[in-house]
Amino acid sequence: MDRKWCIKIGFIAFLLGCWQILAYSGVYPEAFIPKVETILVRWWHLIREDHLLMRVAVSLSTIIVAVAIALALSALLILIGKKSYIVKECLKLSASIAGPIPGIALLPLIILWLGLSTEAMMVILIHAMIWPLWTTLDLSVTRIHNRFNRFMHAFKISRWKRLKDVYFKGILPDLLTGIEVAWGRGWRALLSIEMIFGIVGNHSGLGWLIYERRMYMDTAGMLAGLLTIAICGIVFESVLFKSKVVEVHRENHY
Amino acid sequence: MKTIISAHNLCKSFGKQLVFKDLNFEIMAGDTVAIVGPSGIGKSTLLNIIGQLEVPSSGHIHYEPSLFEGIHIPFPFVFQEHESLLPWLTVAENLRLIQKDVSMDALIDVLEAVELTAHQNKYPSALSGGMKQRVGIARALLCHSKCLLMDEPFGSLDEALKIKLQQLILSIKEEKHLTVIMVTHDQSDIERMANRIIDLRQA
């Protein structure tokens, strides 16, 4: 097994061990600090009886759609920014104004304007993702343009090849980094929104599940929800964003 | 010797900043021309103008029509190391990028000319500075043009590598009857390679 994985598993075992010591010490009641086995049993119950996996799927599909829209919008903004200096400057200003505003802070306004709807949820998610994505990608495209513009002109590289072989392949590591950052911000925003929105249409996600468990004073259920978020985080971080292919590609760029 | 490029009263300025003015020169077929002068004097700008990447502010350049006959890229460049190759493509992919339908034989030919046949599947990050520049030369040779433009191609190389690469370029130049125009600020490059000089300090 990979050394990194051994360290990760060892650290998780350490955290679980500390939790168990606290739970078994009897300092706090079971309703506050449930034992690990109680959380796991509750987790299994939520999977079987409470459609936990379906809720994860709802949250994931929402976030995937939002990432796709944010990516498409970022690409569009980069293209427009390249055509017009004024637009580019306005975009930079917008990024510095809107970028630091957490999605949740916009929630009251968005609910006022769009109601408790899927559109409102998407607007907040896209707001959370688009600014870091645009900033990363725009810097990357500019860097590649400055470095290889003369080469592309001198060797009369066609538009399609410029787009595919120079710009797309060139920005790929930054694109993955941008998606990684956007994903993290979007994931946080989504869970917060779900806790407030609850059920939108026929769907309810992971955030609502945690909030729902709170209403029943089901601490083990809340912790089982958080455990699911942690597992999702580890899977995305370790499998999706740090895969061998991505690492090799990054190595060849720098 | 036939004149293939002649410049008449060439001027270039960026806004109010004059780079050079009233520049006149002729380049003959088979010449190795060095464009010299201190940093920031406009050597690369002049090379870009000769290579049709930029237009002069006034004056004009006359090219011998045969430079363009049946040639898609008449003025291939060999750039400085950092802007020379796309790091995310292998050597062979870098070469194929400029000419998609290039045959394997043609590819092997140019790689043999620069002694890099064994490295065609490597990424630039796995090559030394001198090897990267040789790939840059191979890429320029694929264009089958009559001119080779080089913008400080030896800048980042140590002396021994530099001499080896210069010898390689001179031998390829003789073999393929090329005209080489290069930008340099290094006196030793001029002494070893050039037979004509365009000194921008006088422009």
Side-chain angles (χ1 to χ4, degrees), chain B residues 30-31 141 145-148 172-174 176-180:
Chain B
D31 271 350
L141 291 179
S145 71
K146 293 171 183 170
C147 270
L148 187 61
I172 291 170
K173 172 188 170 289
E174 289 305 316
K176 302 198 181 282
H177 309 293
L178 295 173
T179 301
V180 175

Side-chain angles (χ1 to χ4, degrees), chain A residues 188-199:
Chain A
R188 278 196 295 275
L190 177 71
L191 292 173
S192 317
I193 298 163
E194 281 177 347
M195 284 181 156
I196 293 165
F197 272 39
I199 298 169

Side-chain angles (χ1 to χ4, degrees), chain A residues 3-4 6 24 28-29 39 43 55-56 72 88 103 105 125 128 139 161 166-167 179 184 192 202 220 238 249 254:
Chain A
R3 188 164 175 260
K4 279 182 189 172
C6 289
Y24 273 95
Y28 297 101
I39 298 168
W43 190 54
R55 288 171 192 247
V56 171
K88 176 82 178 271
L125 281 180
L139 276 174
K161 278 187 177 176
V166 182
Y167 286 111
I179 292 175
S192 317
N202 301 322
S238 308
H249 206 86
Y254 304 114

Side-chain angles (χ1 to χ4, degrees), chain A residues 22-56:
Chain A
L22 194 63
Y24 273 95
S25 68
V27 176
Y28 297 101
E30 173 87 25
F32 275 29
I33 310 282
K35 298 181 184 80
V36 170
E37 57 269 27
T38 315
I39 298 168
L40 290 177
V41 168
R42 194 79 195 94
W43 190 54
W44 182 241
H45 178 81
L46 286 174
I47 290 173
R48 290 186 59 131
E49 307 291 327
D50 226 339
H51 311 294
L52 177 65
L53 296 182
M54 181 56 82
R55 288 171 192 247
V56 171

